[in-house]
Amino acid sequence: MSENENIMTNEKEIVSKNFIETIIDKDIAEGRCTKVITRFPPEPNGYLHIGHAKSILLNSGLAKKYGGQFNLRFDDTNPTKEKVEFVENIAKDVAWVGGEFEDRIFYASNYFEQMYEAAVKLIKKGKAYVCELRAEEIREYRGTLTEPGKNSPYRDRSIEENLELFEKMKNGDFEDGSVVLRAKIDMSSPNMNMRDPVIYRVAHMTHHNTGDAWCIYPMYDFAHPIEDAIEGITHSICTLEFEDHRPLYDWVVTELEYPNPPKQIEFAKLYVTNVITGKRYIKKLVETGVVDGWDDPRLVSIAALRRRGFTPEALKMFMELVGVSKSQSSVDYAMLEYCIREDLKLKKPRMMAVLDPIKLVIDNYPDNTTEMVSVPNNQENPDMGERMVPFGKELYIEREDFMIEPPKKYFRLFPGNEVRLMSAYFVKCVSYETDEAGNVTVVHCTYDPETKSGSGFTGRKVKGTIHWVNVSTAIKTTARLYENLTDEEKGVYDEETGEMNINPNSLVVKDECYVEPALKDCKAYDSFQFLRNGFFTVDCKDSSSEHIVFNRICSLKSSYKPAN
């Protein structure tokens, strides 16, 4: 049985639990915690991506399931990379994904005084010392995976001297990088993280939250367990790369003698094939203009997914399919597209839009006449009803829906063939026009007025049905068609150069698209299915009341097949 599978036995439902829930159940049963408190602790040095969505939903979901509390906490201990812009966008993204933090927003920087006092406590216990080795010397003294490190010459300073020097660090008497405060643990530990790690550094920089109040800042591995302990976090859930850091996490909360210390639990990161999630790579793409920002729809930042038209419900479905485990694995991007299709297919109206238009003229249709035809809003969901769409003598159809010399089993328009115009009439191609280059510009047809949809006509059948947009009432728009940002065959990164393999066709812009007039008042983030063309959403940045820009969320076809 899989980790998140439900089964029925003797008419009783047995719900399997992931390994984290099993740990929490045990902790509750043993009285270790009475109220589950979790957190999502992003560093505000970039935008969140789809991997963060998994952590948000996991932590928030566990708190909700156990009737506990979920905190959003900014781990803002590194002013060199942090911006208010990132703080604001992270809070927005967490709420949109479904992280229910309400007003529980915390900042690591608000605990700087308590962290300083914690460092002083370690010094007084003989568990921390000020070290004047340069960064490269610290690395050299640290040893290797097969060789133990060696003690710093400053390791045995007296408690009094360390307290005095640490006070001078706080007061700004040292230059950046000249001294650090290190935990005194074990330079021969097989775990490199325990070899007297740096826990405080000097950095004369303005912090986005505390301004110039501090010129020393705690390191993440020291600050994080303190933040968790202060907030009463019961289960500090993080990804597997922090597994080797857990002994240091436990050492900090133990040496600082916190009652009911938090428990760190690690789970496997979410890896999605052929996407870019590394912040430094995305930053480079933004700075070089390959993408138009952190929310470019070709990225998988949460802001980009929202702009692309993905929904919180689709992301939640995706995370449920992925599951929670200790095993590292990659998930096909097609699974994510499957989830958004499943979420939208019965919710969204199916509209007529022509992305690569040629004109179709019905020669025997009355001039200067427009009639309204009834079109179902969603053929798979009759409860969505119908709408009236204008129809006339001149229409736009997709260029691919007409061929002069079609192959076998081509059932759309070609000279002499008859098709149905969706929700309207049968039309038969009688001629066509081309430009000087031989490109078809106009298709001429005749229609049979007896064949109107809904009339009960049974005289003959046609094999092809095509969609259309009435020329006189059409709304001209732009459509953006997306593919993977990276080259699927070459992989995300070039192994030799480390450069990204960018797909030159990752964005195709169609500037002359026509949609039915019902779409003229659509707003940012509104989404639709464009018949035969895919699911589309109104771009939140570049659309205006004068000109609508649609982003394709995904095509209608999927390469992903869910397990039975």
Side-chain angles (χ1 to χ4, degrees):
M1 186 174 65
S2 66
E3 292 180 72
N4 298 293
E5 180 183 10
N6 294 348
I7 63 173
M8 298 294 291
T9 304
N10 297 325
E11 298 184 354
K12 291 183 179 179
E13 185 180 27
I14 300 175
V15 181
S16 70
K17 300 189 175 186
N18 63 53
F19 77 98
I20 297 176
E21 291 169 333
T22 301
I23 293 172
I24 293 175
D25 286 344
K26 185 173 183 291
D27 289 340
I28 292 174
E30 294 176 352
R32 182 185 168 274
C33 74
T34 56
K35 181 181 180 181
V36 173
I37 304 178
T38 62
R39 83 291 173 268
F40 175 64
E43 298 177 66
N45 58 3
Y47 281 50
L48 302 182
H49 57 66
I50 191 168
H52 295 114
K54 179 178 181 180
S55 183
I56 294 165
L57 290 170
L58 174 60
N59 280 281
S60 178
L62 288 169
K64 186 174 183 179
K65 178 175 181 176
Y66 289 94
Q69 177 178 308
F70 170 68
N71 295 349
L72 169 60
R73 181 213 306 143
F74 292 98
D75 248 321
D76 54 348
T77 58
N78 185 4
T80 60
K81 298 181 180 180
E82 297 159 1
K83 296 181 181 178
V84 174
E85 171 196 354
F86 297 143
V87 171
E88 293 172 347
N89 277 280
I90 287 171
K92 179 180 178 181
D93 288 346
V94 174
W96 180 79
V97 166
E100 299 180 14
F101 59 87
E102 298 175 356
D103 59 346
R104 293 185 299 276
I105 300 180
F106 302 91
Y107 295 86
S109 54
N110 287 345
Y111 309 139
F112 279 169
E113 185 65 41
Q114 289 154 286
M115 293 177 191
Y116 176 80
E117 291 171 357
V120 170
K121 182 173 183 176
L122 290 181
I123 293 172
K124 288 180 177 179
K125 291 179 68 174
K127 297 291 186 177
Y129 62 97
V130 174
C131 181
E132 296 178 47
L133 290 176
R134 297 188 303 273
E136 59 270 21
E137 291 175 322
I138 290 177
R139 285 192 292 270
E140 180 185 337
Y141 274 57
R142 197 179 183 200
T144 67
L145 292 173
T146 57
E147 297 178 354
K150 58 183 180 179
N151 290 346
S152 164
Y154 307 102
R155 195 174 196 266
D156 296 323
R157 275 177 162 153
S158 68
I159 290 174
E160 292 72 22
E161 186 179 3
N162 281 316
L163 287 172
E164 181 182 347
L165 290 171
F166 191 48
E167 180 73 16
K168 287 184 176 180
M169 286 174 62
K170 177 190 176 186
N171 293 337
D173 293 346
F174 293 103
E175 295 180 356
D176 292 4
S178 59
V179 294
V180 293
L181 182 70
R182 298 175 67 179
K184 186 187 290 188
I185 307 178
D186 181 4
M187 289 303 294
S188 62
S189 171
N191 186 328
M192 300 285 281
N193 296 300
M194 300 296 281
R195 296 183 185 178
D196 289 13
V198 174
I199 59 175
Y200 257 96
R201 69 199 184 283
V202 177
H204 290 82
M205 294 197 68
T206 301
H207 190 280
H208 74 92
N209 187 33
T210 59
D212 297 320
W214 295 87
C215 64
I216 56 171
Y217 293 97
M219 303 299 288
Y220 178 87
D221 278 346
F222 178 64
H224 193 81
I226 294 175
E227 298 156 26
D228 285 346
I230 290 171
E231 292 176 17
I233 302 301
T234 57
H235 298 87
S236 180
I237 300 165
C238 54
T239 45
L240 277 177
E241 71 263 32
F242 291 101
E243 189 169 30
D244 288 342
H245 296 248
R246 193 195 321 147
L248 178 54
Y249 183 102
D250 292 341
W251 183 90
V252 171
V253 295
T254 299
E255 291 295 338
L256 293 175
E257 303 170 38
Y258 287 109
N260 303 314
K263 175 184 286 188
Q264 179 174 304
I265 307 171
E266 305 87 16
F267 69 98
K269 253 185 177 181
L270 173 61
Y271 290 100
V272 182
T273 57
N274 295 308
V275 301
I276 296 172
T277 56
K279 289 177 183 175
R280 68 185 180 96
Y281 289 107
I282 295 176
K283 184 179 179 183
K284 184 176 180 181
L285 290 171
V286 173
E287 291 175 346
T288 56
V290 174
V291 297
D292 70 1
W294 287 82
D295 62 349
D296 187 292
R298 289 167 290 178
L299 299 172
V300 289
S301 65
I302 293 175
L305 291 169
R306 181 168 60 246
R307 184 180 174 192
R308 177 81 173 256
F310 282 82
T311 63
E313 294 82 4
L315 291 182
K316 185 176 181 182
M317 184 192 307
F318 178 63
M319 300 310 166
E320 289 173 349
L321 286 173
V322 171
V324 179
S325 74
K326 278 274 194 180
S327 303
Q328 297 281 28
S329 61
S330 295
V331 180
D332 197 324
Y333 183 82
M335 183 193 288
L336 179 60
E337 290 188 324
Y338 164 81
C339 293
I340 188 63
R341 288 189 193 94
E342 287 296 298
D343 183 51
L344 298 182
K345 69 180 183 181
L346 298 181
K347 292 181 179 178
K348 300 300 178 180
R350 300 180 179 183
M351 314 298 286
M352 290 196 280
V354 176
L355 307 189
D356 188 11
I358 56 173
K359 187 176 288 188
L360 182 149
V361 177
I362 306 173
D363 293 338
N364 63 332
Y365 192 85
D367 293 333
N368 303 316
T369 299
T370 298
E371 66 175 301
M372 304 301 289
V373 298
S374 181
V375 179
N377 285 322
N378 189 318
Q379 288 89 333
E380 290 186 70
N381 185 0
D383 291 341
M384 291 186 67
E386 299 189 349
R387 67 188 183 281
M388 303 305 291
V389 179
F391 179 89
K393 185 182 183 74
E394 295 188 352
L395 310 170
Y396 291 118
I397 63 170
E398 294 285 359
R399 183 171 296 277
E400 66 177 19
D401 285 341
F402 174 79
M403 295 187 73
I404 299 172
E405 297 180 357
K408 290 181 179 181
K409 297 186 178 181
Y410 181 84
F411 300 123
R412 285 168 268 176
L413 273 176
F414 55 88
N417 193 44
E418 189 174 45
V419 301
R420 175 175 288 285
L421 294 175
M422 186 174 291
S423 299
Y425 300 95
F426 287 8
V427 294
K428 184 176 183 178
C429 178
V430 294
S431 64
Y432 58 89
E433 300 175 27
T434 61
D435 59 19
E436 294 179 357
N439 300 309
V440 175
T441 54
V442 181
V443 176
H444 289 274
C445 294
T446 57
Y447 88 116
D448 182 347
E450 302 296 323
T451 60
K452 187 174 183 179
S453 290
S455 66
F457 175 78
T458 58
R460 63 187 181 280
K461 294 183 178 181
V462 292
K463 292 185 176 180
T465 299
I466 63 175
H467 67 280
W468 48 271
V469 175
N470 183 48
V471 168
S472 64
T473 56
I475 307 297
K476 186 177 179 181
T477 67
T478 293
R480 294 168 173 166
L481 310 182
Y482 298 103
E483 294 181 5
N484 279 347
L485 182 57
T486 55
D487 191 307
E488 291 187 48
E489 293 184 1
K490 294 180 180 178
V492 177
Y493 309 110
D494 186 298
E495 292 184 1
E496 294 184 2
T497 65
E499 294 295 313
M500 290 169 281
N501 292 317
I502 301 300
N503 173 12
N505 300 314
S506 64
L507 170 61
V508 175
V509 180
K510 300 279 190 178
D511 281 322
E512 192 171 338
C513 304
Y514 294 94
V515 300
E516 58 178 273
L519 292 170
K520 67 182 177 66
D521 295 322
C522 58
K523 306 180 296 299
Y525 300 113
D526 285 350
S527 53
F528 313 89
Q529 182 185 135
F530 287 173
L531 289 164
R532 290 180 36 222
N533 282 309
F535 291 97
F536 286 76
T537 191
V538 179
D539 187 78
C540 62
K541 288 176 72 172
D542 299 326
S543 280
S544 66
S545 57
E546 290 77 30
H547 187 76
I548 306 170
V549 177
F550 290 100
N551 298 328
R552 185 162 69 181
I553 306 169
C554 63
S555 64
L556 298 179
K557 295 180 180 179
S558 175
S559 60
Y560 170 76
K561 302 296 182 185
N564 293 328

